[in-house]
Amino acid sequence: MFVSSAISLSPPGRAVGRVSGRHEDVGEQFARELADLGAPAEFVRADVRFDADVKDLVDRAVARFGRIDVAFNNAGTEGTPGPVTEVTDEGYQATFDTNVKGTLLCLKHEFRVMREQGGGSIVNVSSGYGLMGYPGATLYVGSKHAVVGITKAAALEGAAHGIRVNAVAPGYTRTAMYERFTGDDTARDAVDSVLPMHRAGTPEEIAEAVQFLGSDRASYVTGHILLVDGGLMAGGPLFPSS
Ligand SMILES: NC(=O)c1ccc[n+]([C@@H]2O[C@H](COP(=O)([O-])OP(=O)(O)OC[C@H]3O[C@@H](n4cnc5c(N)ncnc54)[C@H](OP(=O)(O)O)[C@@H]3O)[C@@H](O)[C@H]2O)c1
């Protein structure tokens, strides 16, 4: 049984177990697509900022499937980017409530179930920005660094209970967030051209890493942050572009 706190779709929009998010139309369609592929799936509307929603998601997963083997805590937002001098309470909440509190609430309820069943595997989502800074994105960068720390601490708490906790740290990935971040095709081409592989990653490439970390193939991997960034962090922004 697999539970995911959010779905990442490749624009224009098109991925066993329980998937969630806040938009029922997107979630229901996604669950139908999974079912058509032979993977029984069910959508549950859940906002990870709220304890009751996450508890409901996890409890309903257990009620339907009996256990949670793998949990993917993918929900995230870029919040309201801007300079540090313009940080507001609203901007802080918009970013940290989903990226940090949401991750913590997911871990809280997943741990409750996994401890009782004797183990499980959890994959959080940080970012390349969880390992480096970026001007104008202080809140997002801070929130994704927090996910790195939370992942490591939770991994140590889970280790003796058979619970592995890891994170993927994607580089630029072609999702709706990337479309918003880059703006238009011209800006997108400009970003792509300075990336080591001259392209952003795909959700499928991130999913491969999540699948590995979630599976028994990674049975001795915990507290790890797996970069999936096409080499972006290998050289930093000043690497010689070929
Ligand atoms: N795309 C990139 O370049 C990139 C790079 C590094 C890391 N990431 C991380 O990858 C993850 C997925 O991002 P993405 O690129 O797929 O972004 P996206 O296209 O904006 O999708 C975000 C997903 O998170 C869900 N979500 C947002 N806030 C939520 C909340 N409070 N409760 C429940 N679900 C929520 C959204 O569903 P609803 O709107 O229906 O709730 C949506 O399914 C995020 O954690 C993001 O920070 C992305």
Side-chain angles (χ1 to χ4, degrees):
M1 164 58 200
F2 170 87
V3 65
S4 173
S5 74
I7 309 147
S8 286
L9 300 173
S10 250
R14 245 229 2 98
V16 180
R18 196 159 289 245
V19 294
S20 76
R22 293 167 303 174
H23 292 99
E24 294 189 24
D25 49 346
V26 178
E28 299 285 5
Q29 185 197 328
F30 183 69
R32 276 194 299 275
E33 284 179 22
L34 283 176
D36 288 347
L37 292 170
E42 190 173 313
F43 173 75
V44 175
R45 192 197 166 282
D47 187 324
V48 297
R49 295 173 297 176
F50 302 111
D51 197 328
D53 279 23
V54 180
K55 180 177 186 306
D56 180 55
L57 168 65
V58 166
D59 287 350
R60 286 171 65 177
V62 175
R64 166 86 192 267
F65 297 101
R67 55 185 289 117
I68 297 176
D69 299 302
V70 181
F72 177 38
N73 300 329
N74 184 40
T77 175
E78 70 271 40
T80 48
V84 70
T85 48
E86 290 174 18
V87 167
T88 61
D89 284 355
E90 294 74 26
Y92 174 84
Q93 281 164 1
T95 315
F96 273 70
D97 278 7
T98 292
N99 296 357
V100 181
K101 185 181 169 198
T103 302
L104 287 166
L105 291 176
C106 288
L107 286 167
K108 170 184 168 181
H109 291 290
E110 290 153 3
F111 259 61
R112 174 169 56 80
V113 170
M114 289 180 178
R115 278 185 68 149
E116 202 169 309
Q117 70 189 21
S121 177
I122 299 172
V123 184
N124 294 326
V125 180
S126 179
S127 167
Y129 290 157
L131 300 161
M132 68 176 183
Y134 193 86
T138 315
L139 287 169
Y140 184 76
V141 166
S143 72
K144 290 299 181 178
H145 273 72
V147 172
V148 168
I150 288 166
T151 299
K152 292 179 179 176
L156 294 175
E157 282 191 33
H161 300 280
I163 304 171
R164 294 185 298 104
V165 186
N166 293 289
V168 286
Y172 297 118
T173 309
R174 285 202 170 274
T175 65
M177 183 185 287
Y178 180 72
E179 303 262 307
R180 291 193 297 275
F181 176 76
T182 46
D184 57 29
D185 285 345
T186 309
R188 212 160 291 133
D189 288 347
V191 172
D192 283 358
S193 71
V194 297
L195 298 177
M197 291 188 180
H198 295 174
R199 68 170 180 87
T202 65
E204 289 80 2
E205 288 170 318
I206 308 303
E208 288 288 342
V210 174
Q211 218 177 5
F212 167 70
L213 289 173
S215 77
D216 289 342
R217 284 176 289 151
S219 54
Y220 202 55
V221 182
T222 195
H224 186 65
I225 314 300
L226 180 55
L227 267 170
V228 189
D229 70 346
L232 181 62
M233 293 284 289
L238 297 179
F239 75 92
S241 187
S242 56

